[in-house]
Amino acid sequence: MRSGRWLRTATPLRDGRVFIAGGYLQDAVHWDVLSATELYDPGIGKFAPAGSMGEGRSGHTATLLNDGRVLIVGGSGVGYPMGEGPTSAVLYQP
């Protein structure tokens, strides 16, 4: 994985890859909520970048839709008071 992530989602796709979205990273000095997404291909054991959600999210949901897209909603991001988060949704098209 390009970035270690907590409270991210990992959604299995129909083609066998796994779509990984958002989450947060933390080290001894700082933390950040991620907008980056990645695809994991278990066939070759590698991760690849898959774009940005535009806004960082952690603790969100990601649901595989019948048409193969992934709907990402909710969660929390940087700059939101506790209990609030992004009000937008993201559709990922593999």
Side-chain angles (χ1 to χ4, degrees):
M1 193 176 296
R2 294 168 111 42
S3 301
R5 300 162 185 255
W6 296 90
L7 296 175
R8 49 74 188 131
T9 54
T11 308
L13 302 177
R14 292 192 172 124
D15 64 5
R17 295 179 299 166
V18 179
F19 177 67
I20 301 164
Y24 74 91
L25 63 89
Q26 180 177 359
D27 62 24
V29 179
H30 69 281
W31 68 277
D32 193 16
V33 178
L34 303 172
S35 62
T37 64
E38 297 183 50
L39 283 171
Y40 174 67
D41 187 335
I44 59 173
K46 296 202 179 213
F47 292 88
S52 172
M53 294 184 290
E55 186 170 20
R57 294 173 188 264
S58 69
H60 52 283
T61 63
T63 304
L64 181 63
L65 302 176
N66 289 336
D67 63 5
R69 295 181 298 169
V70 178
L71 175 63
I72 303 163
V73 297
S76 60
V78 174
Y80 290 97
M82 199 60 155
E84 295 181 21
T87 58
S88 63
V90 177
L91 271 174
Y92 171 74
Q93 175 70 50

